[in-house]
Amino acid sequence: MSKSLAFAEGELQDWGIDRNNEDTIDIGNRYLTPIKDVQVDETHIPFKKDIDPFGTLAKMVKAGYIRTADNVVNYMKKRTGTDGKARLEPFAPKAFERGTLYLAKCPS
């Protein structure tokens, strides 16, 4: 996405990751899709406050992008119940912590 579509130069900051010489796998998600690449019957799905607390991504919608079902990411946390069974519970993205190991899984 081009920053120039909705944001003044310098308004967004690059996010650099310090890997400390460790092997890593970069994953990503396209939060938005250019409107020209969307099927006619797809509709915009608004962002929840925990995904876009300052409305930054919502501004991109006005700049020719849309958020569809293909762009939605579900954040889940694995918990083990008292019965010993693992369960997935919703997890707020703002709860991610530096130095913590996370699992990324694509739906099958």
Side-chain angles (χ1 to χ4, degrees), residues 48-69:
K48 292 181 182 177
K49 193 75 170 163
D50 64 339
I51 301 291
D52 190 20
F54 304 108
T56 306
L57 295 168
K59 288 180 186 177
M60 296 297 290
V61 173
K62 296 175 186 170
Y65 291 88
I66 187 170
R67 181 173 186 239
T68 67

Side-chain angles (χ1 to χ4, degrees), residues 71-82:
N71 300 114
V72 174
V73 174
N74 294 310
Y75 297 89
M76 308 296 281
K77 188 173 198 171
K78 184 178 177 180
R79 298 269 182 169
T80 303
T82 54

